[in-house]
Amino acid sequence: MNYRSKNWVWQYGKRQGDKAFCDLCDDNSNKVFCCAGGSTGSFGRHLKLIHNISKNTQNQSDNNLHEVEECNIVDGLTQCSSSSSTSLLNTDCSSSSSEFREPPRKQRRTYIDKNFEKNRICSSERTEEIHQALAKMIAINQMPLSFCSSSGFKQFMSIVEPNYIICKEGAIKQRLKGLKSSAENLIKKELKDAKSVSCTSDCWLSIAQESYITVAAHFIDDQWFLKSYTLTTHKLENRHTASNLSDQLEITFNKWEIDQKVTAVVTDNAKNVLNAINLLDNITEKNDITCTAHTLQTCSSQYLKDKQEQLDMSTESLIQSCKSRWNSISAMAHKFEVSEHQWTNVETLIKLLKPLQIMTTVFSGENIVQVQCDVSARQIASFLDPGFKDLEHETVDAREEIRSRVKHLINEMAEINCDVQIKTPVTKHHGVLEFLFGDEINCNIVDSDIQYQNYLAEPQLKFDFDALEWWKTHTSKYPLIVALAMKYLGIPATSVSSERCFSTAGNIVTAKRSCLAPETVNMMIFLYQNKQLL
């Protein structure tokens, strides 16, 4: 080509359009454009700075050799001069040699190819990794799917990964479905291993006036950890009758393969919901399994109403921002002009209402189990909690009835597990006294009466002691009672878990996203509520 003969630089590179490529660089990695514009000047600078090659490289070497020879001649002349003029000759020689020194070169800035990052290839593996991370971020932060195509995100990725191909909404939705499927498989596996499961459920009306039902599962695993997972938040097509609600619960239980494991379903005190629970065939505990916090709120409201009627006052409701948030009562949301006398009354009310505030705060926790005549699950759970086993808040007759009920359940468990064999490790005794007085577990431990009496004799623990940790360390001592403890202590005291789903739903189904498909609503709530699995 003509441009090769015109300039020396083209023996080290080639030209394509207005770009120059260096043959000495590895152009297979990222196709680096070594000099933008393809000019001989920029290419020459590249060769000199990167590869130490210039047009005068050979000539410069010859000149350097000639300068060395001249310096040697001058040095020889200096040595041949007389001693009297040594000082003068040395001074002249120093002056002469300085004339032959190469002047110091100016330091140049290292060449940096500005197009390197811009032209770096974003591999398919890297692209998919970003897609997956983006899907998780949208799920965890409750963001709209349109975020992936927003101008702000595009600008951000142009800095982080310039050649990343932005994922479309449909593609990101498919990856969200994949995350949901993976989380569902993990939950199903844990539910399959669970010995018993309790559920909470509630209904909710979206901003688009669409009705949804939420179901969450709660259980204690083999390591005595309390687990909670949101199973579904799907749209209700029919009216909220007891029959329809019961059908929806059965469909959910069958889908998650827990229809034979559900011990109880904790709900609010709505009549249609309570009737729906009674229609379920496989639920073993149906008596008095309602949300304790909701019951407390209902009692407070009813007591206020009764007192107002008794004092012949106009009926006023409690001031609260949201009826489903029992601890959200706030008079500060309104601007009151309060007199000094009224402030005195307020101070008195604060003292009276403080216990209610504490109770609702406690009940709003995730790890609260049932701690309360036909004996209810609450009372059985209280007896199986080492911190409340003495039943001090029950009457004497109620205590005996509760204990008799638990003993009956233990006997039933013994009949079901009549083939249970407790294998005690064979230990080597080091002496006669150790053989006689060693604290080995009694071989009759499988006897239900012995287990019951031994548990009854256990000292009651402090109220703040972890009941699940206690049972974890006493599993081998009470193998029959352990199954009951795992079953009843796994029943949550409130339906707070389901209520929290509606807060999540309110952040997803907003005024700007009121037309989301019910399947998308269910998917986004499921992913956020179970984000610990992502």
Side-chain angles (χ1 to χ4, degrees):
M1 295 182 179
N2 293 334
Y3 62 81
R4 281 188 179 273
S5 61
K6 291 181 179 180
N7 198 289
W8 66 276
V9 298
W10 299 116
Q11 60 182 311
Y12 299 105
K14 56 183 176 294
R15 194 178 202 168
Q16 292 183 2
D18 61 346
K19 304 290 182 181
F21 296 86
C22 179
D23 292 339
L24 300 178
C25 292
D26 183 9
D27 61 346
N28 293 323
S29 59
N30 291 305
K31 294 291 184 184
V32 179
F33 293 166
C34 293
C35 53
S39 66
T40 56
S42 58
F43 193 12
R45 286 192 295 273
H46 166 76
L47 292 172
K48 185 173 183 180
L49 294 175
I50 303 302
H51 303 293
N52 199 23
I53 297 174
S54 65
K55 178 180 179 181
N56 300 321
T57 300
Q58 187 62 39
N59 294 336
Q60 187 64 38
S61 300
D62 295 338
N63 291 337
N64 291 340
L65 180 60
H66 181 65
E67 290 174 5
V68 171
E69 292 174 352
E70 288 182 344
C71 281
N72 290 337
I73 294 172
V74 174
D75 290 341
L77 292 174
T78 304
Q79 293 175 2
C80 293
S81 61
S82 61
S83 58
S84 61
S85 60
T86 299
S87 178
L88 178 60
L89 287 175
N90 286 340
T91 304
D92 294 339
C93 185
S94 299
S95 301
S96 302
S97 60
S98 64
E99 295 176 0
F100 291 95
R101 281 203 196 103
E102 185 177 355
R105 296 182 179 180
K106 294 182 180 180
Q107 291 185 351
R108 294 178 179 269
R109 285 181 289 182
T110 304
Y111 176 79
I112 300 176
D113 185 4
K114 297 181 179 179
N115 293 318
F116 177 77
E117 289 291 332
K118 184 180 295 185
N119 295 293
R120 183 179 64 187
I121 293 176
C122 185
S123 64
S124 58
E125 293 80 7
R126 174 65 173 164
T127 300
E128 183 58 29
E129 185 181 11
I130 297 175
H131 287 347
Q132 293 292 338
L134 176 60
K136 289 181 181 180
M137 182 178 69
I138 288 176
I140 293 173
N141 292 345
Q142 306 177 53
M143 303 171 72
L145 298 182
S146 59
F147 172 77
C148 61
S149 58
S150 64
S151 58
F153 178 69
K154 290 179 180 178
Q155 184 179 15
F156 175 77
M157 289 307 299
S158 67
I159 302 299
V160 176
E161 194 67 64
N163 289 323
Y164 167 69
I165 300 176
I166 301 298
C167 190
K168 296 182 179 180
E169 292 184 28
I172 207 68
K173 190 173 183 179
Q174 290 300 319
R175 284 159 180 81
L176 287 168
K177 289 181 179 179
L179 291 176
K180 182 175 183 288
S181 179
S182 299
E184 285 178 344
N185 291 334
L186 292 175
I187 295 174
K188 282 184 177 180
K189 184 179 183 303
E190 292 200 44
L191 290 175
K192 184 178 180 180
D193 296 336
K195 294 179 176 60
S196 61
V197 179
S198 297
C199 293
T200 56
S201 181
D202 208 342
C203 296
W204 170 72
L205 192 66
S206 73
I207 193 173
Q209 300 301 304
E210 292 179 327
S211 183
Y212 287 85
I213 183 172
T214 285
V215 180
H218 314 268
F219 60 94
I220 299 173
D221 65 9
D222 291 337
Q223 299 301 315
W224 286 92
F225 290 113
L226 188 61
K227 298 293 188 70
S228 296
Y229 295 115
T230 297
L231 303 183
T232 183
T233 305
H234 62 267
K235 183 180 177 181
L236 284 173
E237 300 292 347
N238 301 317
R239 295 172 55 224
H240 293 192
T241 63
S243 178
N244 291 336
L245 293 175
S246 179
D247 290 342
Q248 292 299 319
L249 290 172
E250 284 189 351
I251 291 172
T252 301
F253 297 159
N254 291 331
K255 175 185 175 182
W256 291 91
E257 301 175 0
I258 57 173
D259 51 302
Q260 301 298 321
K261 292 185 176 183
V262 178
T263 301
V265 180
V266 181
T267 64
D268 58 22
N269 292 275
K271 276 293 183 183
N272 58 336
V273 178
L274 296 178
N275 292 334
I277 303 302
N278 289 326
L279 291 176
L280 297 173
D281 296 329
N282 297 323
I283 304 299
T284 57
E285 294 293 337
K286 300 179 181 180
N287 179 41
D288 196 25
I289 304 296
T290 56
C291 176
T292 305
H294 189 274
T295 301
L296 181 63
Q297 169 72 7
T298 303
C299 291
S300 301
S301 300
Q302 185 62 44
Y303 185 77
L304 174 63
K305 181 180 179 181
D306 292 343
K307 282 297 180 182
Q308 289 172 341
E309 292 177 354
Q310 182 180 350
L311 298 173
D312 197 23
M313 298 172 62
S314 59
T315 303
E316 301 289 347
S317 301
L318 289 173
I319 300 173
Q320 54 190 14
S321 58
C322 178
K323 291 183 179 181
S324 63
R325 292 293 179 213
W326 312 288
N327 205 27
S328 63
I329 300 173
S330 175
M332 300 304 293
H334 301 262
K335 294 182 179 179
F336 292 125
E337 293 182 2
V338 183
S339 64
E340 183 176 353
H341 173 71
Q342 290 173 323
W343 274 120
T344 303
N345 292 337
V346 169
E347 291 177 354
T348 304
L349 286 173
I350 290 176
K351 293 179 181 179
L352 294 174
L353 295 176
K354 184 66 174 179
L356 296 178
Q357 186 269 336
I358 294 175
M359 290 287 288
T360 53
T361 301
V362 170
F363 285 137
S364 295
E366 285 284 354
N367 296 325
I368 303 300
V369 295
Q370 296 284 1
V371 289
Q372 292 241 318
C373 220
D374 186 12
V375 178
S376 68
R378 302 175 192 270
Q379 295 167 315
I380 296 174
S382 297
F383 178 74
L384 294 173
D385 188 330
F388 299 92
K389 59 181 290 294
D390 291 345
L391 304 173
E392 298 170 344
H393 300 289
E394 298 284 355
T395 64
V396 175
D397 293 339
R399 293 177 197 172
E400 291 303 319
E401 189 171 352
I402 295 168
R403 290 167 182 164
S404 298
R405 174 60 179 163
V406 173
K407 186 176 181 180
H408 176 72
L409 291 173
I410 295 173
N411 291 333
E412 286 184 346
M413 192 67 65
E415 293 177 1
I416 297 174
N417 301 278
C418 59
D419 57 342
V420 172
Q421 298 292 330
I422 305 299
K423 296 182 179 180
T424 57
V426 178
T427 58
K428 183 178 180 180
H429 300 284
H430 300 283
V432 177
L433 294 179
E434 183 179 348
F435 175 79
L436 292 176
F437 300 104
D439 57 350
E440 292 183 3
I441 297 176
N442 194 315
C443 61
N444 294 323
I445 196 67
V446 293
D447 186 271
S448 59
D449 290 334
I450 293 177
Q451 289 189 43
Y452 173 76
Q453 293 298 331
N454 287 344
Y455 177 71
L456 205 61
E458 291 277 0
Q460 180 170 294
L461 304 177
K462 291 182 63 177
F463 66 90
D464 57 349
F465 192 86
D466 190 344
L468 301 186
E469 183 65 27
W470 188 90
W471 278 109
K472 182 179 180 180
T473 59
H474 289 74
T475 300
S476 59
K477 189 174 182 180
Y478 303 110
L480 294 176
I481 308 179
V482 157
L484 285 180
M486 190 172 287
K487 176 179 180 180
Y488 284 93
L489 294 180
I491 302 175
T494 71
S495 58
V496 167
S497 296
S498 296
E499 291 285 348
R500 284 205 177 102
C501 287
F502 302 149
S503 295
T504 301
N507 294 331
I508 293 173
V509 186
T510 63
K512 292 184 177 180
R513 290 189 281 170
S514 60
C515 296
L516 282 177
E519 296 79 10
T520 303
V521 175
N522 186 15
M523 176 180 66
M524 299 303 294
I525 294 176
F526 177 88
L527 290 173
Y528 179 79
Q529 292 295 119
N530 302 305
K531 56 181 178 293
Q532 70 273 18
L533 300 176
L534 301 183

